[in-house]
Amino acid sequence: MTPPKVSGEKKGELIQLRVEKSFADQLNALADRKQVPLSVMLRTWMAEKLRAESKIEQNERSAWIEKRITNLPLQGFEEGPLVVMHAFPLSGKAKLTVDTLKQHAYALVPGYEHRRYSESQILQHGLETVVRGGGDDGKIVARGEAFKTGELETVLSMPSGNNQFFGQQLDYLIVRAVQTLCSIFKFHDIEMGYVIRISLLNAKDYSPVQQMVIASTHPLPKFNSNRVDLPEITVTSPDQLASMANTGEFLMDTLDELWHATGQPGSISFDHNNRWINTVQ
């Protein structure tokens, strides 16, 4: 008898597995002892295994990121907070080609792609793009690296003064970076999802503001830690990248958490209806 169809129920994917009869008999006997349907027992096992493997992969990504951040030449960047972002294909290792990376090198330095003092070079592991400020010191304002094995990194300097920087520009750079880093995977025909990790370095005592303040009767909200690490996010749908507003609203919780680190109730890039209102270009 065909079971009744539940209204609104989504049809799942069918996975077929051929095993020896003795093995199938053991599985059925175990399911009988547990008094659960065989399909439920197998789905539970698979879900547990998937969670365990996902945790291992997450730990591997975290270790890789920690090594990269530890080795960043911070003294080579302009003074002020740095937005550090890493992206990975959820499927694991992927092949990025130098030819394609060269064509889209600007995507590694979002928000700074139109600066004059930029250069890209092929490295043993992939491609690097560096953007420098116009000063004589040659300080870096943005740097991105793409690894042929699929990892992406971008480091973006936040222009600042008097220990303040524009908070909406911070949100804009993060949203734009998510879009452009994911575009590199798309250019290489790598299927979603894409995992993104965001950190803020050199943040201690800096205040994200809407307007620069010369003097204030009250202390400005500020970061109390030099480094802020945010949880992983996974981009799973093209709709999440369709526009700045779509991506911003997808990242709202992440951006809010960054602002929470300064003691503020949330990002100023959204209105009371949680719509993206950031006008930075």
Side-chain angles (χ1 to χ4, degrees), residues 178-194:
V178 168
Q179 290 189 323
T180 63
L181 292 179
C182 290
S183 73
I184 293 175
F185 293 137
K186 183 179 179 181
F187 294 142
H188 287 84
D189 296 322
I190 298 171
E191 294 184 358
M192 291 181 169
Y194 309 140

Side-chain angles (χ1 to χ4, degrees), residues 68-97:
R68 292 292 304 172
I69 289 180
T70 299
N71 292 327
L72 274 178
L74 300 181
Q75 67 280 0
F77 287 85
E78 287 193 346
E79 185 177 353
L82 296 174
V83 179
V84 182
M85 298 182 59
H86 294 93
F88 310 82
L90 185 61
S91 57
K93 297 294 183 181
K95 184 178 180 180
L96 306 184
T97 65

Side-chain angles (χ1 to χ4, degrees), residues 29-245:
L30 180 58
D32 288 341
R33 289 198 299 273
K34 290 180 173 291
Q35 296 184 331
V36 295
L38 176 60
S39 61
V40 172
M41 185 180 73
L42 293 178
R43 282 200 302 270
T44 301
W45 285 358
M46 291 168 62
E48 290 175 352
K49 180 62 175 176
L50 180 60
R51 283 194 294 270
E53 290 296 325
S54 296
K55 186 64 176 178
I56 291 172
E57 291 173 358
Q58 185 179 28
N59 290 340
E60 290 176 347
R61 288 192 294 266
S62 295
W64 189 87
I65 289 171
E66 194 60 35
K67 183 177 180 181
R68 292 292 304 172
I69 289 180
T70 299
N71 292 327
L72 274 178
L74 300 181
Q75 67 280 0
F77 287 85
E78 287 193 346
E79 185 177 353
L82 296 174
V83 179
V84 182
M85 298 182 59
H86 294 93
F88 310 82
L90 185 61
S91 57
K93 297 294 183 181
K95 184 178 180 180
L96 306 184
T97 65
V98 169
D99 285 343
T100 302
L101 290 171
K102 283 173 59 180
Q103 295 174 38
H104 305 284
Y106 64 87
L108 289 169
V109 286
Y112 293 90
E113 57 266 43
H114 301 302
R115 293 289 189 93
R116 288 178 55 196
Y117 304 100
S118 63
E119 57 185 21
S120 296
Q121 63 174 329
I122 297 172
L123 304 176
Q124 179 180 350
H125 59 254
L127 185 92
E128 175 189 60
T129 298
V130 176
V131 182
R132 300 185 185 276
D136 295 334
D137 57 7
K139 290 288 188 177
I140 299 171
V141 296
R143 191 186 78 175
E145 290 192 50
F147 294 78
K148 290 182 289 187
T149 47
E151 302 89 351
L152 302 175
E153 175 182 272
T154 187
V155 185
L156 309 171
S157 176
M158 288 298 306
S160 59
N162 196 26
N163 277 52
Q164 302 171 48
F165 62 88
F166 290 115
Q168 284 191 318
Q169 186 173 20
L170 172 65
D171 290 349
Y172 168 83
L173 285 177
I174 290 174
V175 170
R176 186 69 184 132
V178 168
Q179 290 189 323
T180 63
L181 292 179
C182 290
S183 73
I184 293 175
F185 293 137
K186 183 179 179 181
F187 294 142
H188 287 84
D189 296 322
I190 298 171
E191 294 184 358
M192 291 181 169
Y194 309 140
V195 178
I196 309 290
R197 282 279 299 273
I198 304 166
S199 296
L200 190 64
L201 305 183
N202 296 345
K204 186 175 175 61
D205 294 332
Y206 278 89
S207 299
V209 296
Q210 191 163 12
Q211 294 180 334
M212 291 294 186
V213 177
I214 298 176
S216 175
T217 56
H218 301 286
L220 294 173
K222 62 185 180 181
F223 290 100
N224 294 317
S225 299
N226 212 37
R227 175 173 168 179
V228 181
D229 294 308
L230 299 174
E232 281 189 352
I233 55 174
T234 304
V235 178
T236 58
S237 167
D239 290 342
Q240 295 164 342
L241 304 173
S243 67
M244 286 293 292

